[in-house]
Amino acid sequence: MGQEGGGASGRGRCVGRPAGAPKEDGPSGGQFEYLRTVAAGMADSTEVRELVYLVTGGCGFLGEHVVRMLLQREPRLLELRVFDLHLGAWLEELKTGPVQVTAIQGDVTQAHEVAAAVAGAHVVIHTAGLVDVFGRASPETIYEVNVQGTKNVIEACVQTGTRFLVYTSSMEVVGPNIKGHHFYRGNEDTPYEAVHRHPYPCSKAQAERLVLEANGRKVHGGLPLVTCALRPTGIYGEGHQIMRDFYHQGLRLGGRLFRTIPASVEHGRVYVGNVAWMHVLVARELQQRAALMGGQVYFCYDQSPYKSYEDFNMEFLGPCGLRLVETRPLVPYWLLMLLAALNALLQWLLRPLLLYAPLLNPYTLAVANTAFTVNTDKAQRHFGYEPLFSWEDSRTRTIRWVQAMEGSAR
Ligand SMILES: NC(=O)C1=CN([C@@H]2O[C@H](COP(=O)(O)OP(=O)(O)OC[C@H]3O[C@@H](n4cnc5c(N)ncnc54)[C@H](O)[C@@H]3O)[C@@H](O)[C@H]2O)C=CC1
Ligand SMILES: C[C@@H](CO)CCC[C@@H](C)[C@H]1CC[C@H]2[C@@H]3[C@H](O)CC4=CC(=O)CC[C@]4(C)[C@H]3CC[C@]12C
């Protein structure tokens, strides 16, 4: 097996043991024009339908796009199992096509529920997770879902004989680290001190390590388990809850957003449709190129431009009437740090009464102010990945989604 994982290979360190608490509902899916088109254009091929796929977290922001992309672009699909704590009503519309779509309401922290869902599947795409950097979940459950949940998925594959496992990891497995080191146009082999303290990156790093270390384990039936991990940078597109939060914040402030991050601090972003496509492609090619791809990590990338987080968001929010005030942050960084700390204190004080989880907290401020961009072609070299959606297409689709939200916001 080709070992390319080196510096940024996720052999990171976590300071302190992470743990977590239940996550809020992910955004309901189904209302995006592209996704409806994808569903309508379900794969129609002469290939034999014989494969069973399971997507955990299949009703989440990314999960929904993966589910729909599989239906459109995996012609060998016989059954698609969608496993999630919160099932979306939109799943019903997918049950009219040639693929059997099985909705399974379940919890990845419950090993028996995972084993029942995995049994008989040829491929598992594990996207389920608590994506929380806002303090909504206590550390214990972040660990429970992201690490123990992943252990349950791995053991279910081994016990039931499922041989192919794709894990949705994250750029956060690498960085930004707690020292604020910039990661500039890095790749999967770039040396970087991946040291974390926050429960979310710690849990993702531990889960990724478990998945990669499971590669080659014998599953029921004696054949080896083949695993790999995909590391998206900041995903954007139809259904992105944080983009929705920024939009509504701008509406509340009279159409203005106030810059808090220097324009020079570039943050990697990738369109959700391209991330979904990479999941579909890697799951297919993993079956053909196990020796090369097994145990590997791949950053998710496309032609989305390198910009600061706020400037990138304005590519979509600007055409929808919002304006980013000032070309440089209005308030000094030390004052932002103070405000972020006050938000964290308020969250702690109010927790017995209500959940106060603003976008600005010490962790999000530090991450947003640390450049992290990737420049790699490993996915292209290993399994022929090319983005399915151009930057222009990704931008147009996202703008249309915000505009559709605008209609509902009036
Ligand atoms: N959103 C982003 O920018 C990025 C996300 N990722 C990863 O992508 C994956 C999906 O993230 P998103 O779609 O953004 O999040 P999301 O919160 O929209 O989707 C996560 C899904 O997992 C489900 N889930 C949560 N706990 C569960 C449990 N105990 N049992 C079963 N299902 C459970 C949720 O109900 C939800 O549908 C996550 O693993 C995340 O770490 C990685 C890089 C960037
Ligand atoms: C100064 C604050 C208020 O203006 C910061 C506002 C932006 C932040 C909310 C985001 C900046 C960077 C984002 C993270 C990044 O894209 C990497 C991620 C990877 C994941 O796996 C999950 C999401 C996230 C942690 C993402 C979350 C939001 C930001 C911190």
Side-chain angles (χ1 to χ4, degrees), residues 23-27 56-64 83-87 106-110 126-131 141 144-146 167-172 200 204 230-236 239-242 270 275 279 309:
K23 181 182 184 304
E24 291 176 355
D25 283 359
T56 72
C59 293
F61 163 45
L62 173 61
E64 176 173 355
F83 181 96
D84 204 302
L85 202 56
H86 307 292
L87 293 179
D107 185 341
V108 291
T109 66
Q110 301 304 307
H126 177 36
T127 83
L130 273 185
V131 185
T141 310
E144 197 61 21
V145 174
N146 293 352
Y167 175 60
T168 309
S169 181
S170 170
M171 60 174 266
E172 289 243 313
Y200 177 73
K204 294 300 287 186
L230 298 184
R231 290 173 176 168
T233 52
I235 306 175
Y236 70 94
H240 187 209
Q241 182 59 45
I242 295 172
V270 60
V275 179
H279 279 75
Y309 198 85

Side-chain angles (χ1 to χ4, degrees), residues 131 133-134 170-172 200 234 242 246 260-261 267 309-310 359-360 364-365 367-368:
V131 185
V133 292
F134 305 107
S170 170
M171 60 174 266
E172 289 243 313
Y200 177 73
I242 295 172
F246 270 108
T260 55
I261 307 163
H267 235 263
Y309 198 85
E310 289 170 333
L359 288 173
L360 175 65
T364 61
L365 181 63
V367 170

Side-chain angles (χ1 to χ4, degrees), residues 242-258 260 310 322 358-360:
I242 295 172
M243 187 73 69
R244 194 181 271 129
D245 295 342
F246 270 108
Y247 178 61
H248 290 149
Q249 187 180 71
L251 292 181
R252 287 195 299 272
L253 295 172
R256 292 169 301 178
L257 287 168
F258 296 92
T260 55
E310 289 170 333
L322 298 194
L359 288 173
L360 175 65

